[in-house]
Amino acid sequence: MNRKRAIVAFAASSAAALALSACQDQANGGGAGSRDHITVVGSSTVFPFTTIVAEQLINKTPGMKSPAIESTGTGGGMKLFCAGVGAAHPDIEDASRRMKASEYRTCKDNGVDTIIEVQIGLDGVAFAESMSGPKLQLTAVDLYKALAATPMGQPNTAKTWKDVNPALPAIPIQVYGPPSTSGTRDALAELILAKGCDAINPALADKKESDAAGYAKGCTAIREDGAYVDAGENDNLIVQKLQSNPNAIGIFGYSYLEQNKDKLNGVPINGVEPTYETIARGAYPGSRPLYLYVKKAHLTAIKGLREFLSLYAQSWDPKGPLVAKGLIAAPDDVRKRSAEIIKAEATLDPSKLL
């Protein structure tokens, strides 16, 4: 898996980890801290926002060691985050979807039982094409028929968009998207494919709760015959592929579309374009919240962790640096509640997870 690393070189963090292994693990006991920098794993979508806050922390705190930030995908990051408490394990998980109940159980089984959940803003699962692309306009049903492994219970044989919908052009279905470890992939399944499936498979929709495995197989499992291309966690690579293949579509967080609006067009879904305004008001079908998950046991142990969270809360306003980078500001009440959670260090109620 291709992992991007920012702020701190991996070699440096590996050396630090070896040195820490010989030290008392203060993070586990809530002491003064045995690691000299913050570590973050998780979503490629949240990655650029966390990087900005890390840079602010360094600029405002003389002597502060640079945080180590890895883009592992939300699912891959959850595995690392939930593996344990202590200096050998990450402090923060960037997430482009909410933590699952099953992931929380893994965390708890490994001693990670006090977790702070903070919604940092909103994002959209954006579909994009080259400026010289065919100017596609798609629906959730089109995307389900094009990308699902077994639409209507049959193996997917659609080769072109016209096979999916006679009103679409006869160009090959080629979609570059995130891997199975990505929260963006989960959001694609839940926000787009599931809605398309439910619209034409009411019998499956009725079994969503009683037969989760059957529903996933028929509605959200993605085809693996080459029409959908796993482009890894490097969303910038998808941008490059779209420029070289103008008939292809790419899937990533809205911030990457915003950063490359001179190169890419957003593809409307159900007649709604992916824009700041449509995502902010929930009109765009792919709108979703973004999160941070933080180990409360690490707040005292890891130098600068509280300050880092405070800087995040100061940066997510509509006129703040994160929105300038592509984050969609959450509504006022959500931002206020998230700031209060950080201030009170209030922990997640697992009964609210699915």
Side-chain angles (χ1 to χ4, degrees):
M1 178 165 46
N2 179 24
R3 293 184 176 182
K4 295 177 286 185
R5 288 172 170 81
I7 314 298
V8 171
F10 178 67
S13 61
S14 297
L18 289 172
L20 286 171
S21 66
C23 300
Q24 181 182 3
D25 190 353
Q26 299 272 357
N28 197 20
S34 59
R35 179 165 19 85
D36 61 358
H37 63 274
I38 297 165
T39 61
V40 186
V41 294
S43 166
S44 63
T45 300
V46 182
F47 174 87
F49 309 132
T50 297
T51 299
I52 290 170
V53 177
E55 291 170 347
Q56 291 181 332
L57 181 68
I58 297 306
N59 292 335
K60 293 184 178 184
T61 314
M64 175 67 66
K65 291 289 184 71
S66 297
I69 308 169
E70 295 186 60
S71 177
T72 63
T74 298
M78 286 292 184
K79 291 179 181 178
L80 295 169
F81 180 81
C82 289
V85 175
H89 305 287
D91 308 310
I92 297 175
E93 156 75 358
D94 289 339
S96 56
R97 58 161 173 80
R98 200 172 194 198
M99 176 180 276
K100 299 175 183 177
S102 59
E103 290 168 335
Y104 182 86
R105 288 193 293 271
T106 300
C107 272
K108 187 173 182 180
D109 288 345
N110 291 324
V112 188
D113 55 1
T114 53
I115 301 170
I116 299 170
E117 178 189 71
V118 181
Q119 184 180 334
I120 64 166
L122 300 168
D123 182 50
V125 180
F127 296 78
E129 62 182 13
S130 164
M131 296 288 267
S132 57
K135 306 296 186 293
L136 289 172
Q137 297 197 36
L138 303 173
T139 67
V141 170
D142 294 336
L143 287 161
Y144 167 67
K145 290 181 176 180
L147 299 181
T150 56
M152 287 76 74
Q154 300 298 319
N156 199 331
T157 58
K159 302 297 183 184
T160 72
W161 288 105
K162 193 174 185 67
D163 295 335
V164 166
N165 181 343
L168 295 174
I171 58 175
I173 298 168
Q174 179 120 60
V175 178
Y176 297 107
S180 59
T181 54
S182 170
T184 301
R185 172 85 163 254
D186 292 335
L188 166 66
E190 295 168 12
L191 300 177
I192 305 296
L193 299 187
K195 289 178 181 176
C197 180
D198 292 351
I200 58 177
N201 288 316
L204 266 178
D206 292 341
K207 296 180 179 179
K208 189 179 297 188
E209 301 297 331
S210 61
D211 184 12
Y215 181 83
K217 180 180 179 181
C219 290
T220 59
I222 292 178
R223 63 195 297 185
E224 298 179 349
D225 59 353
Y228 181 93
V229 180
D230 178 341
E233 293 293 350
N234 188 344
D235 292 331
N236 287 313
L237 180 61
I238 298 179
V239 175
Q240 294 171 19
K241 287 181 178 295
L242 295 181
Q243 291 179 273
S244 61
N245 185 355
N247 283 333
I249 289 178
I251 304 173
F252 36 57
Y254 166 77
S255 63
Y256 286 89
L257 176 59
E258 174 66 18
Q259 292 166 34
N260 294 279
K261 57 187 177 183
D262 59 330
K263 305 181 186 75
L264 304 176
N265 285 320
V267 175
I269 306 299
N270 295 349
V272 182
E273 293 187 17
T275 67
Y276 185 100
E277 292 74 18
T278 60
I279 295 169
R281 70 172 189 266
Y284 180 68
S287 300
R288 59 175 175 169
L290 302 177
Y291 298 93
L292 296 183
Y293 290 92
V294 187
K295 291 172 183 168
K296 187 169 182 177
H298 287 206
L299 287 175
T300 299
I302 304 302
K303 181 182 177 182
L305 189 53
R306 283 192 174 95
E307 292 79 4
F308 182 82
L309 295 179
S310 178
L311 277 174
Y312 233 115
Q314 296 170 38
S315 303
W316 62 41
D317 285 345
K319 295 183 179 180
L322 302 188
V323 170
K325 188 70 172 179
L327 181 74
I328 309 296
D332 291 347
D333 61 328
V334 174
R335 298 200 310 275
K336 181 179 179 182
R337 183 166 63 250
S338 292
E340 289 171 349
I341 287 171
I342 290 174
K343 184 176 181 180
E345 299 176 3
T347 55
L348 168 67
D349 177 0
S351 69
K352 304 293 177 65
L353 301 176
L354 300 176

